[in-house]
Amino acid sequence: MGDTISGPQDIQSAATGQVDFGGAFNGAVVKLAAAGAPITSVLGYYGVDKLEFNGFYVLENSPIRGPRDLAGKKIGMNTLGAHSEAMLDIYLQRSGLSKEDIAKAEPVALPPVNTEQSLRQGNIDVAVLSGILRDKALARGGIRPLFTDYQLLGAFTAGTYVLRKDFIERNPDTVRTFVSGVAKAVEWTKTTPREQVVERFTKIVKGRNRNEDTDPLKYWKSWGVADQGGVITDKELQLWIDWLGGRGDIRPGSVKAGDLYANKFNSYAKGQ
């Protein structure tokens, strides 16, 4: 696996065989599968909970107070067509806005490290912030949340690792080792005191001898994976099948949630 600029590009690299596996927002997985890519989701690896979430923030004195105030406003996020844009769409849809009014909100792709600065300088009206960038921005003050994805949908697994189907067929033992290993690591972080998890992360990073900064690890709180060991469920993919179908990005009925994933390599998937 390699680092790319976004989840959608990451799983496209997996689909074309440039890397062995990729990970992305489940909506991107659905869209790629609907386009005919021979991929299968095998493990949930990130999500949303009360500790790990994406917030849509405005300046403290901003006139933006609700969804109807976002018409003509710029919303900065890490990439378009992925998790943050989906959350924005759902937020606006649930307010009862028409498609025409929803289209007046303007998502803007920005590097996450520049998003807070862009908000404070007035280049954008809303900033999507998460993790260390969110916590540091809040500590500096002067911003407030408009909404969060946790407030919107509660706890849910938002992204999965995917593999090419032919890779799975050729290497079932390797896939099982990979999936079960990552699943155990995810579950360990959920059942171990946070201080111990951060300590282990720090030890691993220092042991790589790459002169990496370990300070960001102190801000880690959760992976947000909802189900035990990253086991995947229909509902985690059906949400995005419905969203993409409603937008016209995929043809309704072109994909079924149950055809997009396999839990059989995950040791936590009892009876599946």
Side-chain angles (χ1 to χ4, degrees):
M1 181 180 181
D3 264 342
T4 60
I5 60 171
S6 70
Q9 182 177 336
D10 203 42
I11 60 173
Q12 286 170 11
S13 296
T16 56
Q18 294 173 275
V19 296
D20 292 328
F21 75 94
F25 155 63
N26 280 331
V29 173
V30 169
K31 193 171 183 179
L32 193 58
I39 56 171
T40 298
S41 290
V42 293
L43 179 79
Y45 76 100
Y46 89 89
V48 171
D49 60 21
K50 63 181 179 181
L51 298 175
E52 177 58 35
F53 57 88
N54 294 270
F56 287 64
Y57 293 89
V58 298
L59 295 176
E60 193 69 54
N61 61 356
S62 170
I64 298 174
R65 295 286 172 179
R68 295 185 180 278
D69 298 325
L70 291 177
K73 301 298 190 293
K74 292 182 173 65
I75 302 94
M77 56 188 65
N78 69 321
T79 188
L80 303 183
H83 183 106
S84 295
E85 188 173 1
M87 294 303 111
L88 175 62
D89 273 1
I90 292 172
Y91 174 68
L92 295 172
Q93 288 168 6
R94 290 188 175 184
S95 71
L97 291 178
S98 66
K99 287 186 177 181
E100 291 75 17
D101 286 337
I102 289 173
K104 293 176 183 177
E106 185 181 347
V108 177
L110 288 173
V113 294
N114 300 130
T115 307
E116 178 196 353
Q117 182 181 12
S118 294
L119 176 67
R120 295 188 187 278
Q121 291 178 340
N123 297 322
I124 57 174
D125 303 288
V126 184
V128 182
L129 301 170
S130 63
I132 181 175
L133 298 176
R134 176 197 62 229
D135 291 350
K136 283 192 170 185
L138 289 172
R140 280 186 276 270
I143 65 173
R144 57 178 171 80
L146 180 62
F147 72 95
T148 72
D149 48 11
Y150 179 66
Q151 292 172 335
L152 198 62
L153 295 176
F156 65 99
T157 298
T160 50
Y161 283 140
V162 304
L163 297 165
R164 282 180 59 92
K165 292 181 179 180
D166 58 356
F167 182 93
I168 294 173
E169 292 171 359
R170 292 196 309 268
N171 307 283
D173 292 338
T174 298
V175 174
R176 184 170 288 104
T177 299
F178 166 69
V179 172
S180 290
V182 176
K184 288 177 182 177
V186 167
E187 201 56 31
W188 178 80
T189 66
K190 294 168 69 174
T191 58
T192 303
R194 177 180 172 276
E195 293 75 16
Q196 292 182 33
V197 175
V198 172
E199 182 181 356
R200 177 69 66 84
F201 286 170
T202 303
K203 182 179 179 180
I204 291 171
V205 171
K206 287 183 175 179
R208 297 195 296 220
N209 294 317
R210 299 176 183 170
N211 196 31
E212 297 169 280
D213 183 9
T214 59
D215 284 344
L217 296 174
K218 299 174 184 177
Y219 289 84
W220 182 88
K221 296 175 183 176
S222 167
W223 294 128
V225 175
D227 292 288
Q228 188 179 35
V231 170
I232 304 169
T233 63
D234 277 11
K235 64 181 180 180
E236 293 163 358
L237 292 158
Q238 189 62 50
L239 176 66
W240 310 118
I241 291 173
D242 295 340
W243 176 65
L244 289 164
R247 283 165 52 102
D249 290 344
I250 65 171
R251 181 170 51 82
S254 59
V255 290
K256 295 181 180 179
D259 295 336
L260 302 180
Y261 68 93
N263 284 319
K264 64 181 180 180
F265 300 103
N266 193 329
S267 57
Y268 289 93
K270 300 177 178 64
Q272 296 189 40

